[in-house]
């Protein structure tokens, strides 16, 4: 751009700054899944100079016509640290329609699924085809409006004769690339409105006319989705026991809803249904966020529903256990690194038992990070950890972050406890700056009769388990894969991904004997703090010869907020600052145990 044109553009910005009198609008952080099942968090694009979002709708012909220019936009700026993504907030689009269009027109950029429309609302989008330029470092919206007549570098802008056309979008990107976004004192949003297909926001209009009521609309959602953990004595950092408490935590609640950290619904809801995935319905998310954005008003109800919630009558989920294992107490120091503690506790049963349900109650949740439990012969002296094969061990269940409450195995199945067995525990304690004593308990509930199926868990990990992990420092996307072949027909019930703080994503798939591949579970935004075993709502039959595969990725960069040391090579190991890569498949045989296998009653 020539000097006169730059002066002209600077004058435009000065006039806009004077007339609108505002610094760039700041958007909130958000996380969305794209049409291929990958997660995108705005803050994690901090390594880029700018993020450009193009509003998308499959039925919008303008979007299709502009596709070549979107691709030019990306190819022009990608080497300058600019990510170009599409954002679909159209209420009429399905995932199938978006995927079909992406395949048909070879759209090779991520299409983020804004199914709640909350991100589009926050960005002020009005039409498909509108473009938003964001500085991911400070979350400033640098530009919102149409794609420039010339979507490439402002140095190439020109027109017939001596006249040159200002390109606000391209210049906003240029300033972001140069690191001089302070020059852009205001966004050029409404000066050049974007043409395109108008987006409809029915829920926003509904809530504007009839705002959500705390007692009638909001409190029931919080009670059903949140108060299981957000209760006095629960694992959450505060109890949702009154409107005042919720209102005080309102800004944080909105943030964790927008970034999908809460509820801890890590599972991609588009693949399969899981009974404990914790995905919040879209309408409920909209209701909560709109209410929080309105200041979390109390409403007119004299009764506060959250204040009426009674704590559980018992700490045991299924009533008093048939047998309680008292884990020997362990003194946890204030600081230091602790080796895994291995405990072998004899079980005093004089006849074979079958465990139907199990629950772990930590003595001190602050220090009990996780434990694994196995059934072994009482005289078995070998120790086991999750980084090696457990030959001679029958896996029972585990306690890990997010696995609060008891676990019940599928109907008419259980884990066998032969006479003369022991409960082997591999326990990981972490220090938190204060001495304490842990006295964890394990509750066991038995089946009344011998079940038809023995419930089992198969860990799947690379060769030598997780010992061979080596992630270069600063690497944002380090992929790994592992597989296992079932040699008999099985019924798959549960899956659990396990990585540590650098874990980014993990996908579980099956390749059937006829080479057809099917995704089973996708966790696109893995969170080390939540590691439940996801229970399939509809169990899957895997025929003999089925190859189950786990594909995952690690983020060892500074843009992973949980990374303990982005400047070091991350290696495999037992401690949390090291890494693991394991997928657990819980199943039972497809065929019933024969009568000859069943002991006499």
């Amino acid at each position: 751009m020539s000097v006169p044109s730059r002066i002209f553009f600077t004058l435009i910005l000065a006039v806009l700054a004077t007339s609108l009198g505002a610094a760039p609008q700041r958007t909130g952080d958000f996380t969305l899944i794209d049409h291929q099942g990958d997660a995108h968090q705005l803050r994690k694009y901090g390594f880029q100079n700018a993020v450009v979002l193009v509003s998308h709708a499959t039925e919008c012909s303008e979007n299709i016509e502009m596709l070549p220019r979107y691709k030019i936009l990306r190819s022009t700026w990608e080497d300058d640290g600019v990510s170009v993504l599409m954002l679909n907030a159209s209420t009429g689009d399905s995932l199938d329609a978006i995927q079909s269009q992406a395949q048909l027109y070879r759209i090779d950029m991520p299409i983020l699924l804004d199914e709640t429309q909350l991100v589009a609302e926050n960005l002020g989008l009005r039409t498909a085809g509108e473009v938003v330029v964001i500085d991911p470092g400070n979350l400033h919206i640098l530009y919102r409006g149409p794609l420039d007549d010339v979507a490439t570098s402002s140095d190439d802008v020109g027109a017939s004769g001596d006249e040159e056309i200002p390109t606000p979008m391209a210049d906003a990107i240029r300033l972001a690339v140069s690191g001089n976004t302070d020059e852009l004192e205001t966004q050029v949003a409404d000066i050049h409105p974007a043409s395109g297909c108008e987006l409809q926001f029915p829920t926003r209009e509904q809530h504007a006319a009839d705002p959500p009521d705390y007692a009638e609309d909001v409190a029931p959602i919080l009670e059903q989705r949140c108060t299981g953990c957000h209760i006095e004595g629960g694992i959450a950092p505060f109890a949702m026991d009154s409107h005042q408490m919720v209102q005080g935590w309102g800004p944080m609640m909105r943030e964790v809803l927008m970034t999908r950290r809460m509820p801890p619904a890590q599972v991609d809801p588009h693949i399969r249904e899981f009974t404990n995935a914790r995905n919040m319905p879209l309408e409920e998310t909209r209701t909560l966020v709109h209410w929080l954005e309105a200041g979390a008003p109390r409403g007119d109800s004299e009764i506060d529903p959250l204040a009426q919630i009674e704590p559980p009558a018992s700490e045991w989920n299924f009533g008093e256990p048939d047998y309680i294992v008292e884990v020997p107490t362990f003194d946890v120091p204030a600081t230091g690194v602790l080796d895994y503690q291995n405990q072998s506790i004899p079980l005093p049963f004089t006849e074979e038992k079958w465990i139907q349900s199990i629950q772990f109650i930590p003595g001190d949740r602050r220090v009990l990070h996780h434990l694994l439990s196995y059934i072994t012969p009482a005289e078995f002296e070998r120790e086991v950890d999750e980084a090696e094969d457990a030959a001679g061990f029958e896996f029972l269940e585990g306690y890990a972050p997010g696995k609060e409450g008891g676990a019940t195995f599928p109907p008419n199945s259980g884990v066998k406890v032969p006479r003369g067995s022991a409960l082997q525990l591999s326990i990981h304690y972490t220090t938190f700056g204060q001495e304490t004593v842990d006295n964890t308990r394990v509750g066991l509930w038995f089946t009344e009769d011998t079940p038809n199926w023995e419930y089992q868990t198969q860990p799947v990990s690379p060769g030598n388990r997780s010992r061979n992990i080596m992630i270069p420092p600063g690497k944002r996307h380090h992929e790994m894969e592992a597989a296992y072949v079932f040699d008999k027909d099985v019924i798959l019930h549960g899956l659990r991904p396990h990585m540590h703080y650098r874990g980014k994503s993990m996908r579980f798939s099956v390749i059937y004997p006829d080479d057809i591949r099917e995704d089973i579970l996708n966790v696109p935004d893995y969170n080390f703090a939540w590691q439940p075993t996801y229970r399939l709502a509809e169990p899957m039959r895997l025929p003999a010869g089925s190859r189950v595969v786990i594909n995952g990725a690690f983020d060892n960069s500074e843009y992973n907020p949980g990374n303990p040391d982005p400047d070091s090579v991350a290696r495999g190991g037992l401690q949390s600052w090291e890494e693991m890569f394991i997928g657990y498949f819980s199943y039972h045989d497809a065929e019933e145990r024969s009568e000859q296998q069943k002991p006499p009653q």
Side-chain angles (χ1 to χ4, degrees):
M1 181 182 286
S2 65
V3 173
S5 296
R6 292 184 187 279
I7 295 173
F8 177 60
F9 183 61
T10 302
L11 288 173
I12 288 178
L13 295 181
V15 170
L16 289 171
T18 303
S19 60
L20 299 181
Q25 176 187 346
R26 188 178 186 275
T27 186
D29 194 14
F30 61 82
T31 300
L32 292 174
I33 299 174
D34 69 21
H35 70 296
Q36 295 178 316
D38 296 323
H40 301 261
Q41 184 174 350
L42 183 57
R43 277 286 193 194
K44 291 184 179 179
Y45 276 89
F47 65 94
Q48 293 286 70
N49 293 313
V51 171
V52 179
L53 295 173
V54 179
S55 181
H56 170 267
T58 61
E59 298 300 321
C60 186
S61 59
E62 286 91 336
N63 268 159
I64 303 303
E65 293 168 2
M66 296 287 281
L67 268 176
R69 296 182 61 197
Y70 299 150
K71 294 181 180 181
I72 291 174
L73 172 66
R74 183 184 61 178
S75 62
T76 299
W77 293 103
E78 61 184 349
D79 290 340
D80 292 313
V82 176
S83 291
V84 179
L85 315 171
M86 304 188 87
L87 177 76
N88 186 291
S90 173
T91 56
D93 280 343
S94 66
L95 176 59
D96 286 343
I98 294 170
Q99 290 175 331
S100 297
Q101 187 183 79
Q103 183 175 10
L104 179 63
Y105 290 97
R106 298 181 180 179
I107 302 175
D108 55 357
M109 62 189 76
I111 305 174
L112 311 189
L113 308 179
D114 184 18
E115 294 168 302
T116 64
Q117 296 192 303
L118 292 170
V119 173
E121 290 177 10
N122 189 244
L123 295 174
L125 293 176
R126 293 166 299 179
T127 62
E130 202 167 1
V131 177
V132 181
V133 180
I134 304 172
D135 182 338
N138 55 27
L139 303 185
H140 283 167
I141 297 178
L142 306 179
Y143 172 84
R144 181 178 59 239
L147 189 70
D148 282 335
D149 287 338
V150 180
T152 56
S153 169
S154 57
D155 293 334
D156 300 328
V157 174
S160 60
D162 296 330
E163 181 183 359
E164 296 192 10
I165 301 173
T167 56
M169 184 202 73
D171 279 277
I173 297 175
R174 177 182 58 79
L175 290 171
V177 169
S178 68
N180 295 319
T181 55
D182 290 342
E183 294 180 28
L184 196 63
E185 296 181 358
T186 186
Q187 58 195 352
V188 188
D190 299 315
I191 307 306
H192 304 286
S195 61
C197 308
E198 184 178 358
L199 296 174
Q200 304 298 320
F201 295 89
T203 304
R204 180 177 66 184
E205 295 174 4
Q206 174 193 342
H207 287 165
D210 184 18
D213 179 76
Y214 165 68
E216 294 183 4
D217 304 315
V218 174
I221 298 174
L222 299 178
E223 181 173 0
Q224 181 179 3
R225 309 289 179 188
C226 309
T227 57
C229 296
H230 288 269
I231 193 169
E232 190 67 33
I235 63 171
F238 68 97
M240 292 186 183
D241 53 10
S242 69
H243 166 266
Q244 184 178 14
M245 182 65 77
V246 172
Q247 188 178 49
W249 284 89
M252 175 60 74
M253 289 175 61
R254 180 189 179 280
E255 178 184 341
V256 298
L257 285 166
M258 294 295 290
T259 56
R260 293 173 56 89
R261 298 207 309 273
M262 287 288 147
Q266 303 177 69
V267 173
D268 181 349
H270 303 102
I271 293 182
R272 286 185 173 271
E273 182 180 352
F274 296 84
T275 60
N276 59 337
R278 296 176 180 257
N279 286 308
M280 183 178 286
L282 301 180
E283 283 301 323
E284 292 184 6
T285 304
R286 294 187 189 112
T287 295
L288 287 181
V289 171
H290 286 162
W291 177 73
L292 292 167
E293 290 176 339
R298 171 68 173 80
D300 300 326
S301 174
E302 295 181 0
I303 298 176
D304 185 342
L306 294 184
Q308 309 301 309
I309 298 175
E310 296 289 339
S314 171
E315 59 186 343
W316 300 108
N317 292 163
F318 314 115
E320 189 67 17
D322 295 326
Y323 186 78
I324 298 175
V325 178
E326 298 282 351
V327 180
T329 59
F330 183 77
D331 295 326
V332 181
T335 59
V337 177
L338 305 179
D339 292 333
Y340 277 42
Q341 301 300 308
N342 289 277
Q343 299 281 355
S344 182
I345 305 171
L347 299 174
F349 308 137
T350 58
E351 58 184 12
E352 180 180 278
K353 298 282 188 182
W354 287 81
I355 297 174
Q356 174 65 47
S357 301
I358 182 172
Q359 182 177 352
F360 303 95
I361 296 186
D364 192 333
R365 289 188 178 92
R366 297 170 298 180
V367 294
L368 180 62
H369 184 268
H370 75 270
L371 66 78
L372 299 176
S373 63
Y374 304 84
I375 300 298
T376 69
E379 66 277 5
F380 208 74
E381 295 182 354
R382 178 170 168 245
E383 297 179 350
V384 70
D385 62 55
E386 57 192 318
E388 61 174 274
D389 289 316
F393 288 70
E394 184 65 40
F395 182 78
L396 177 54
E397 248 297 347
Y399 170 87
K403 291 190 72 170
E404 293 295 317
T408 294
F409 303 128
N412 213 4
S413 73
V415 175
K416 182 170 66 174
V417 183
R419 185 179 61 181
S421 294
L423 181 67
Q424 179 88 17
L425 300 175
S426 175
I427 309 173
H428 183 193
Y429 290 112
T430 56
T431 59
F432 72 104
Q434 177 181 326
E435 292 182 1
T436 187
V437 176
D438 180 74
N439 54 340
T440 293
R441 290 167 293 156
V442 185
L444 303 177
W445 290 262
F446 304 121
T447 62
E448 292 185 3
D449 302 312
T450 301
N452 289 336
W453 296 289
E454 183 172 0
Y455 197 62
Q456 304 173 68
T457 295
Q458 176 63 49
V460 177
S461 61
N464 196 25
R465 287 295 174 96
S466 298
R467 300 291 191 187
N468 59 352
I469 293 176
M470 188 173 70
I471 309 169
K475 191 164 185 179
R476 296 190 304 274
H477 190 80
H478 179 84
E479 295 184 355
M480 290 195 71
E481 178 177 305
Y484 174 83
V485 178
F486 282 102
D487 59 4
K488 55 187 175 182
D489 292 8
V490 300
I491 305 298
L492 184 65
H493 285 271
L495 307 106
R496 180 169 75 92
H498 179 66
M499 295 180 282
H500 290 174
Y501 286 119
R502 298 170 186 84
K504 181 178 182 181
S505 62
M506 189 179 284
R507 190 185 295 256
F508 291 63
S509 307
V510 56
I511 303 173
Y512 294 103
D514 58 5
D515 287 334
I516 293 177
R517 184 170 187 140
E518 182 180 6
D519 283 343
I520 307 173
L521 168 71
N522 179 31
V523 178
D525 192 18
Y526 177 81
N527 186 341
F528 182 54
W530 294 96
Q531 299 180 43
T533 295
Y534 295 106
R535 307 285 183 186
L536 284 159
E538 293 292 335
M540 297 175 62
R541 185 185 185 102
L542 305 184
S546 293
R547 179 183 179 88
V548 290
V549 182
I550 57 171
N551 296 93
F554 295 90
D555 181 353
N556 194 23
S557 76
E558 62 181 297
Y559 301 101
N560 172 5
N563 192 347
D565 188 0
D567 297 323
S568 298
V569 174
R571 301 181 184 276
L574 298 177
Q575 298 296 339
S576 298
W577 63 83
E578 298 170 314
E579 276 305 331
M580 289 187 175
F581 185 78
I582 307 174
Y584 293 92
F585 292 79
S586 295
Y587 66 96
H588 62 65
D589 292 350
E591 301 301 324
E592 294 186 12
R593 300 170 68 245
S594 67
E595 292 300 323
Q596 289 77 13
Q597 291 177 300
K598 297 180 182 180
Q601 300 296 311

